[in-house]
Amino acid sequence: MKISIIGAGNVAWHLAITLEDHHHTICEVFSRTEDKAEKLCSLLYRAEATTDLNFAESEAEFFILAVADDAWEDVCSKLILPEDAILAHTSGTKSLEDLQKLMQIHHDLPVKCAVFYPLMTFTAGKELNFKSVPLCLESDDEDVEQILLEIAQEISQHVYFIDSAERRVLHVAAVFACNFTNHLLALSKTITDSENLDFDLLKPLISETFKKALNANDPVEVQTGPAIRRDKSIINRHLDYLRDDARLLEIYEVLTESIQNT
Amino acid sequence: MKISIIGAGNVAWHLAITLEDHHHTICEVFSRTEDKAEKLCSLLYRAEATTDLNFAESEAEFFILAVADDAWEDVCSKLILPEDAILAHTSGTKSLEDLQKLMQIHHDLPVKCAVFYPLMTFTAGKELNFKSVPLCLESDDEDVEQILLEIAQEISQHVYFIDSAERRVLHVAAVFACNFTNHLLALSKTITDSENLDFDLLKPLISETFKKALNANDPVEVQTGPAIRRDKSIINRHLDYLRDDARLLEIYEVLTESIQNT
């Protein structure tokens, strides 16, 4: 299939390279910054870098909108697509309807909108086995669904149709499971740093904890620590140690209570 | 070295088997439950199971106290060791002094106390490469330190002398990095469950998040999500979604604020 990518960030990079690995042709890569588009194109066979959003003459049939949410308004107002093209966005937080509405405001002809959302955190330049990346698809058109499915199943082993409401719930769940856990690891490091202890000491335990949680039927089954044991003497000792740091103290209390109320 | 293990729980299992793999002799395994001691002994060459804490006639020179913290009082009051034996405990929360005091109360002769604390979560029956388990050692006697070091370095590549105050700090840090993160994963699953979404969808993202955090110089450098981006519209949408669950709402607010204040 002939595909163009609107965006040259981390999601655009990983999708463009993976799709080409699976014998799709990337026609154009758009970025507001020409350098960024050219850098990605230099890794692709024949893709052209562009800073122009008029794709009326493009050969591509499938367009992937992989720009930051706050660039949508600007990009969609200028975007001109060939007739019958599909426009699939990669945002975890925007709905299918959000894209449909924006495209309706700015364009007379209807555009076939879709969602092609990889549920993953991408790092520039860091290779990643795309086969293991869950792809969440959505469309309100059966033919488009079929095309999304064919492309998705080529590049990933984990393909799901997830509607916009479900995707929003997944995003809230991901904030708890990823953003907040990362923050707790960061706080843990501030504790070891404050006593000149090496955070590396904790890393084997952290790795094992995560392996256990992900291999369990439910992480709640492998909960350990003073909160779940209701070990008041240790909890009080910890609260006493944290008493000068209002932030750590509050988090310790809130999460300890939550574990005990599970 | 001739070693006896007081306790037959997860820590006792892993230590006994690992020490024997490194050509130490396990003489006795104590448990209040004979079955448990016998089960562990059946995996060892010549260890004898016992429910008696009188080791006066034991050949062992090194005793590992690997019972739950709340069994210490009872075990130490009955424990009789051969002259000059070393008694090393495996608790992350008890100090060296805690053990010294308990042994002084109940015994006329001084006992050489020590700490031999594996900073790891053990699961019964689940093999684990002990080489990667950090061992935290402590003693106030140079000769004992030397013996601890020799044993520890045989079985682990990560050996540290950590005093009781430092071990307490590590334990607080581990609660944040392990117990609390596990709880957040459990909460995340309650969110996906509530909408009949498969928690497995999030697992690749969770694995990648943890890999990134542990490979970074500091997890704070790889923080992602709406809180660090100060994306108010998404945060408000999430708060709106969580408004009927006071517990999830409070945790979301507290951790979002903490990320923004970092």
Side-chain angles (χ1 to χ4, degrees):
Chain A
M1 191 160 227
K2 290 181 176 165
I3 301 172
S4 284
I5 313 273
I6 301 162
N10 291 336
V11 175
W13 273 68
H14 281 89
L15 276 177
I17 288 166
T18 304
L19 287 166
E20 220 174 54
D21 281 349
H22 290 81
H23 312 295
H24 295 286
T25 303
I26 308 298
C27 302
E28 292 102 3
V29 171
F30 162 87
S31 169
R32 280 176 289 189
T33 322
E34 197 165 2
D35 270 10
K36 276 186 85 177
E38 275 172 3
K39 221 168 167 183
L40 174 49
C41 286
S42 72
L43 302 173
L44 303 168
Y45 293 113
R46 49 149 280 195
E48 278 179 33
T50 176
T51 57
D52 181 2
L53 285 161
N54 183 347
F55 291 96
E57 304 299 316
S58 171
E59 286 178 24
E61 311 137 87
F62 191 81
F63 289 76
I64 295 178
L65 180 66
V67 298
D69 290 2
D70 57 16
W72 272 37
E73 183 76 43
D74 182 48
V75 166
C76 290
S77 70
K78 296 173 188 158
L79 185 60
I80 298 169
L81 299 179
E83 215 171 317
D84 287 329
I86 297 167
L87 177 65
H89 83 70
T90 61
S91 163
T93 54
K94 294 280 194 179
S95 68
L96 176 61
E97 217 189 340
D98 289 336
L99 184 59
Q100 287 169 330
K101 278 188 184 160
L102 258 183
M103 292 305 288
Q104 268 164 18
I105 294 170
H106 297 292
H107 305 279
D108 300 331
L109 289 170
V111 173
K112 291 184 208 158
C113 292
V115 183
F116 196 86
Y117 167 54
L119 184 49
M120 183 45 71
T121 169
F122 295 103
T123 311
K126 192 188 164 225
E127 278 203 43
L128 185 131
N129 179 6
F130 214 96
K131 287 273 174 219
S132 69
V133 175
L135 283 173
C136 303
L137 312 179
E138 185 183 7
S139 161
D140 55 11
D141 175 311
E142 270 185 36
D143 294 338
V144 174
E145 275 185 356
Q146 197 51 40
I147 293 169
L148 293 171
L149 190 62
E150 276 169 29
I151 299 175
Q153 284 182 333
E154 279 170 8
I155 61 176
S156 169
Q157 283 164 346
H158 305 280
V159 175
Y160 303 82
F161 280 101
I162 299 278
D163 68 31
S164 293
E166 290 170 328
R167 212 169 52 251
R168 203 171 290 176
V169 174
L170 270 182
H171 194 240
V172 177
V175 167
F176 279 83
C178 299
N179 303 157
F180 289 168
T181 50
N182 186 78
H183 181 57
L184 288 175
L185 296 178
L187 291 178
S188 178
K189 186 169 188 300
T190 67
I191 295 171
T192 54
D193 283 358
S194 69
E195 307 279 343
N196 292 317
L197 286 162
D198 189 349
F199 184 60
D200 282 357
L201 250 158
L202 286 174
K203 287 185 176 177
L205 180 62
I206 296 168
S207 294
E208 187 66 16
T209 301
F210 276 85
K211 263 190 241 163
K212 260 191 185 177
L214 295 185
N215 288 331
N217 283 322
D218 189 326
V220 79
E221 291 171 10
V222 293
Q223 184 66 51
T224 58
I228 192 80
R229 290 198 313 272
R230 295 178 182 275
D231 188 330
K232 274 191 195 161
S233 85
I234 290 184
I235 292 170
N236 286 334
R237 230 190 285 167
H238 288 177
L239 292 174
D240 187 49
Y241 174 75
L242 298 170
R243 70 179 179 280
D244 295 331
D245 190 318
R247 175 166 71 144
L248 291 178
L249 195 65
E250 185 182 18
I251 292 171
Y252 192 99
E253 285 177 326
V254 167
L255 291 175
T256 293
E257 200 192 321
S258 178
I259 291 170
Q260 294 183 336
N261 290 338
T262 298
Chain B
M1 191 162 226
K2 290 179 174 166
I3 300 172
S4 284
I5 313 273
I6 301 162
N10 291 337
V11 175
W13 274 68
H14 282 91
L15 276 177
I17 289 166
T18 304
L19 287 166
E20 220 174 54
D21 281 348
H22 290 81
H23 312 296
H24 294 285
T25 304
I26 308 298
C27 302
E28 292 103 3
V29 171
F30 162 87
S31 169
R32 281 176 289 189
T33 322
E34 197 164 3
D35 270 8
K36 275 186 84 176
E38 275 172 2
K39 221 168 169 183
L40 174 49
C41 286
S42 72
L43 301 174
L44 303 168
Y45 293 113
R46 49 149 280 193
E48 278 179 33
T50 175
T51 56
D52 181 3
L53 284 160
N54 183 347
F55 292 96
E57 304 300 317
S58 171
E59 286 178 23
E61 311 137 86
F62 190 82
F63 289 76
I64 295 177
L65 180 66
V67 297
D69 289 2
D70 58 14
W72 271 37
E73 182 77 44
D74 181 49
V75 166
C76 289
S77 70
K78 295 171 186 159
L79 185 60
I80 298 168
L81 298 179
E83 214 171 318
D84 287 327
I86 297 168
L87 176 65
H89 81 70
T90 60
S91 164
T93 53
K94 295 279 195 180
S95 68
L96 176 61
E97 218 189 340
D98 288 337
L99 183 60
Q100 287 169 329
K101 277 188 185 159
L102 258 183
M103 293 304 289
Q104 267 164 21
I105 294 170
H106 297 292
H107 305 278
D108 300 330
L109 289 171
V111 174
K112 291 184 207 159
C113 293
V115 183
F116 196 88
Y117 167 55
L119 183 48
M120 183 46 70
T121 169
F122 295 103
T123 310
K126 189 185 164 227
E127 278 203 43
L128 184 130
N129 180 6
F130 214 96
K131 287 272 173 218
S132 69
V133 175
L135 283 173
C136 302
L137 312 179
E138 185 182 8
S139 161
D140 56 10
D141 176 311
E142 270 184 36
D143 294 338
V144 174
E145 276 185 353
Q146 198 50 44
I147 293 169
L148 292 172
L149 190 62
E150 276 169 30
I151 300 175
Q153 284 181 333
E154 279 171 6
I155 62 175
S156 168
Q157 283 164 346
H158 305 279
V159 175
Y160 304 81
F161 280 102
I162 299 278
D163 68 29
S164 293
E166 291 170 327
R167 212 169 52 251
R168 204 172 288 178
V169 174
L170 271 182
H171 195 241
V172 178
V175 168
F176 279 81
C178 300
N179 303 155
F180 289 168
T181 51
N182 186 79
H183 181 57
L184 288 175
L185 296 178
L187 291 179
S188 177
K189 187 170 188 298
T190 66
I191 295 170
T192 54
D193 284 357
S194 68
E195 308 278 342
N196 291 317
L197 286 162
D198 189 350
F199 184 60
D200 283 356
L201 251 159
L202 287 173
K203 288 185 176 177
L205 180 62
I206 296 168
S207 294
E208 187 66 15
T209 301
F210 275 85
K211 264 190 239 162
K212 261 191 184 176
L214 295 185
N215 288 330
N217 284 322
D218 188 326
V220 80
E221 292 170 9
V222 293
Q223 185 67 50
T224 58
I228 191 79
R229 289 199 313 272
R230 295 178 183 277
D231 188 330
K232 275 190 193 162
S233 86
I234 291 183
I235 292 170
N236 286 334
R237 229 190 286 168
H238 288 176
L239 293 174
D240 187 49
Y241 175 75
L242 298 170
R243 71 179 179 279
D244 294 332
D245 189 319
R247 176 167 70 143
L248 291 179
L249 194 64
E250 183 182 19
I251 292 171
Y252 192 98
E253 286 177 326
V254 167
L255 290 175
T256 293
E257 199 192 323
S258 178
I259 289 171
Q260 295 184 337
N261 290 338
T262 297

